[in-house]
Structure formats: structure tokens, C-alpha cells
Amino acid sequence: MSATVTSQSGALLDATLAAGRPALFGYIPLGMPTPDRAIEAVTAMLDAGADAVELGIPYTDPGVDGPVVQRAGEAALAAGTRVRDVVRVVEAVKAHAPAAPVLVMSYWNPVLRYGVDAFARDLAGAGGAGIITPDLIPDEASDWLAASDAHGLDRVFLAAPSSTPERLRITASASRGFVYAASVMGVTGTRTQVGEAAEQLVADTRAAGADHVCVGLGVSTGAQAAEVGRYADGVIVGSALLKTLQTDRPWAARLDDLQAVTAELAAGVARARKDV
């Protein structure tokens, strides 16, 4: 049984759904291309219409990351980014946009090495909302469940099209804030179509007990955001945003491009429920 914790992500999703739309989550790796520029990118994304942020912790063995996110993570590591930088970046983002939940998306090894309770303590102290853990299953997360309860953080586990009803029940019960529904089997990246299994996965995850289900992997256009937002509580986008920062254009121009794509995605989620 989880402790009574006010979920930043859950509160955001309640508010956006009450306003008649899903939420838009934007993903950027911590320190890409440097920690200071990552702060500029995240705040620019929020100013352009993103509702919440996922800060990815760069990792040398990113099992679910596609080529775009892998390149971003490699750039962040080459720039000297360290796990401890998450505190400074989260604090800066929260100072700019206090109402926006800032979640960390991390493989579990960096958190283990930092110390599970210490990471939760420092993230909560910086104003962070919680952690998305792509390679940690609830069955093996007892230390994280305790730390997230102790420090009032969201804990977001993943569901996939291959998840069994029993696995969905366990995942929904352990998650706080939302369940991250992977729209396709495979790695992150833009796709011409969102996985056909995504809508059924959202329905099955809700039936398994999840209060909120957000969909990631494969969304890259406003039209896809509107399509997914028709049935999901939140739409999560990474690669399409990162591509705007991985060009040779001047940094200010790249930020403009990032904001243009963010605005298109935000317009997509804004009309998602109106198109039904």
C-alpha cells in the first residue's frame, strides 16, 4: 500500500482533462548539449506550450532509446554531464515554471549508484515530481517504492502491448501519477504512424486500475498528438523535439525550431477531444 502523497503529475492531468484536453509532456536529456543549454531548451519548450517535462539522465547502455535519443545522450555525456546535475537543472526549470511537473526518466543503474533514497531526497528537494523507470519493474522496486513514499514523489512504470492483464494490474497498482504506455514494441523514435495497439493498451491499463495513462514512443506531429490525445490522458514526445536541437543551425535558431514543433504538438493535444 502506498503512502498518501499528492502527485504533481496526477494533479496536472486532472487539470488538463478538466479543461477538455490531454497534457503534453516533452522529453529532453539532462545536459544535452550542456546542462545550461538543456535548461534553455526545456524552458523554451514550456513557454511554447508543453505542460510537463521529462529530463532524461544520459546513460551509456540505453536499452529503449532509439538513435536520436542515443545521440543526445552521447552529447550530454561528452559534455561532462553527471547525475548530480539533475538537481541544478530541476531547480532552474521550477524557478521558471513552478506549476510544471518535472519528471526524471532514468535507467535504474545511475539511481542505484547515486543511492536510491539520496536521489529521491535530492530530487524532491529540487522540486522534482518523480521518476519514470523504463528498466525497473514493480516486483524489484521495493527500495524505490519506499523512497518515493518517504519523499512524496511520483513513480511511473511502463506498460507495453505485450503486457499481460496480471502485469498491467501490478504496474497500475505500483504507479503514482500515471502509467507510461509504450505505443509500440521497440525503441524510441519518430514514426509515420502511432502503434495501432496503443488505444487498446490504454483501455486495458485503465481497466487494470490505472487512474491516468499517458502514451509515448512514436508521436512526432500535431496530427499524431491529436490522434493519441483522443484516448490518452497525456502525450509524450521526445525524438521529434530533439531533432530540432541536433542541427548545425545557430543555437537561437534551434530553440526557435524547438518551439515551433512544441507549438504544433500543443495545438494537436488542444484539439484532440474536440475532433471526437
Side-chain angles (χ1 to χ4, degrees):
M1 180 178 294
S2 64
T4 300
V5 171
T6 299
S7 163
Q8 291 190 39
S9 305
L12 167 71
L13 292 166
D14 286 340
T16 53
L17 292 171
R21 67 174 179 87
L24 175 63
F25 291 70
Y27 169 91
I28 288 181
L30 171 72
M32 185 274 172
T34 68
D36 286 338
R37 286 197 161 177
I39 293 169
E40 293 174 2
V42 169
T43 55
M45 190 172 64
L46 290 168
D47 289 346
D51 298 296
V53 172
E54 290 183 19
L55 281 177
I57 291 183
Y59 184 51
T60 53
D61 188 21
V64 303
D65 292 346
V68 174
V69 178
Q70 285 189 25
R71 284 199 300 274
E74 290 167 359
L77 290 170
T81 303
R82 296 293 180 266
V83 176
R84 61 179 177 272
D85 289 322
V86 74
V87 172
R88 180 167 69 89
V89 174
V90 171
E91 286 177 340
V93 175
K94 293 297 288 186
H96 181 84
V102 181
L103 292 128
V104 169
M105 187 166 189
S106 180
Y107 295 95
W108 198 237
N109 270 349
V111 178
L112 272 178
R113 185 169 179 81
Y114 192 100
V116 176
D117 190 75
F119 188 90
R121 176 200 64 207
D122 292 351
L123 178 61
I131 315 178
I132 301 167
T133 51
D135 63 347
L136 180 68
I137 59 175
D139 321 51
E140 299 175 356
S142 57
D143 288 348
W144 168 227
L145 297 180
S148 56
D149 282 346
H151 298 285
L153 293 171
D154 291 345
R155 49 190 187 227
V156 180
F157 294 100
L158 270 65
S162 61
S163 299
T164 64
E166 177 63 8
R167 175 55 50 187
L168 291 178
R169 186 191 64 76
I170 294 170
T171 301
S173 177
S175 295
R176 179 162 51 228
F178 61 93
V179 172
Y180 187 124
S183 67
V184 295
M185 300 298 292
V187 298
T188 63
T190 60
R191 290 174 171 82
T192 56
Q193 290 184 316
V194 179
E196 294 180 354
E199 184 171 4
Q200 187 60 51
L201 176 58
V202 170
D204 291 344
T205 306
R206 285 202 183 103
D211 292 331
H212 298 298
V213 187
C214 300
V215 170
L217 273 66
V219 176
S220 60
T221 67
Q224 289 175 333
E227 175 191 348
V228 172
R230 181 174 54 82
Y231 55 82
D233 300 318
V235 180
I236 303 165
V237 183
S239 295
L241 297 168
L242 290 176
K243 282 183 175 180
T244 66
L245 301 177
Q246 293 175 324
T247 69
D248 295 329
R249 285 161 57 76
W251 179 246
R254 285 185 256 175
L255 291 180
D256 289 342
D257 294 341
L258 173 66
Q259 289 196 304
V261 174
T262 304
E264 178 192 345
L265 294 164
V269 298
R271 67 174 184 270
R273 305 297 171 94
K274 296 175 182 175
D275 289 345
V276 176

